[in-house]
């Protein structure tokens, strides 16, 4: 029997529970010895560029960029610790631009075998107007994509995504999205 070849796995990360769930799902269910992980984070600098005219003040823009850099640094530290704890080898690739496009591009430049992302589970109407990162990746990736639905962890709750959450869980997840 031939030895399994090492895989390079792209995992899209941001500062959400959905992203963390996808990472944890990979570690618990998909990880193979020898896998190389590339955590892809797309900074929100693009949002600053398209912000309202209020942000023409260089002091305000500089402060917003510093805040984003601090958030990214904490995120990378958190995931580096999670990788170390799970005995995973790999790196973090920070990119800018539209999230879906950046993740697909990273999968090409890294010659990845698979992409894993979380999903917020938006309803059909919201997804139609706002777009969905996971939907974009599914339709534009040249390699297999796994979209991990976030499961509600509250005792007695059995929800798989925000699309079907009860009032308590939905408001809890909406608060997470505001952060």
């Amino acid at each position: 029997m031939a030895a399994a070849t090492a895989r390079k796995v792209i995992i899209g990360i941001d500062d959400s529970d959905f992203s963390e769930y996808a990472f944890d799902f990979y570690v618990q269910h998909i990880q193979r010895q020898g896998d190389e992980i590339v955590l892809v984070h797309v900074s929100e600098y693009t949002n600053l560029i398209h912000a309202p005219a209020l942000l023409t003040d260089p002091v305000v823009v500089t402060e917003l960029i510093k805040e984003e850099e601090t958030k990214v640094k904490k995120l990378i530290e958190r995931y580096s610790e999670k990788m170390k704890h799970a005995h995973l080898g790999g790196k973090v690739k920070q990119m800018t631009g539209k999230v879906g496009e950046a993740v697909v591009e990273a999968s090409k430049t890294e010659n990845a075998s698979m992409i894993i992302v979380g999903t917020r589970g938006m309803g059909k109407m919201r997804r139609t107007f706002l777009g969905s990162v996971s939907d974009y990746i599914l339709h534009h990736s040249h390699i297999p994509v796994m979209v991990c639905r976030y499961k509600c962890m509250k005792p007695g709750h059995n929800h798989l995504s925000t699309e079907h959450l009860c009032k308590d869980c939905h408001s809890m997840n909406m608060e997470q999205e505001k952060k």
Side-chain angles (χ1 to χ4, degrees):
M1 207 175 200
T5 58
R7 299 180 302 179
K8 192 175 275 192
V9 180
I10 300 283
I11 303 177
I13 62 167
D14 60 19
D15 197 24
S16 71
D17 289 340
F18 308 101
S19 167
E20 192 155 359
Y21 180 77
F23 178 90
D24 292 343
F25 189 89
Y26 164 79
V27 170
Q28 294 168 10
H29 301 286
I30 301 168
Q31 176 185 5
R32 283 191 204 158
Q33 187 174 0
D35 280 358
E36 182 183 343
I37 303 305
V38 179
L39 300 178
V40 176
H41 177 262
V42 182
S43 293
E44 296 185 32
Y45 297 122
T46 307
N47 294 343
L48 295 176
I49 295 167
H50 299 294
L54 296 172
L55 298 180
T56 56
D57 181 355
V59 175
V60 172
V61 172
T62 301
E63 188 59 36
L64 289 171
I65 290 172
K66 284 181 184 176
E67 286 177 23
E68 180 64 18
E69 288 173 349
T70 300
K71 279 193 226 176
V72 169
K73 183 179 178 193
K74 287 179 183 177
L75 180 72
I76 290 171
E77 288 171 358
R78 187 171 89 226
Y79 275 94
S80 294
E81 191 60 38
K82 288 176 76 73
M83 286 178 69
K84 191 182 305 180
H85 180 72
H87 307 288
L88 292 171
K91 63 184 177 182
V92 177
K93 186 170 188 146
Q94 191 172 345
M95 302 181 75
T96 58
K98 292 183 177 180
V99 179
E101 292 174 11
V103 170
V104 170
E105 182 60 31
S107 72
K108 291 175 184 175
T109 60
E110 293 292 332
N111 198 25
S113 309
M114 169 189 275
I115 299 172
I116 299 175
V117 292
T119 182
R120 284 174 166 41
M122 290 189 278
K124 189 174 186 179
M125 183 71 84
R126 191 170 173 198
R127 189 173 55 243
T128 300
F129 289 108
L130 298 177
S132 163
V133 171
S134 56
D135 194 50
Y136 179 91
I137 294 169
L138 278 169
H139 287 92
H140 293 88
S141 175
H142 63 291
I143 57 175
V145 177
M146 174 173 277
V147 179
C148 299
R149 287 224 179 254
Y150 178 76
K151 184 175 181 184
C152 176
M153 302 310 269
K154 283 181 112 179
H157 292 222
N158 192 22
H159 309 297
L160 293 178
S161 74
T162 56
E163 193 169 22
H164 299 94
L165 292 183
C166 67
K167 196 173 191 177
D168 291 341
C169 295
H170 183 67
S171 61
M172 183 174 64
N173 283 322
M174 294 306 282
E175 286 300 313
Q176 273 288 32
E177 286 184 13
K178 289 179 185 176
K179 290 181 182 178

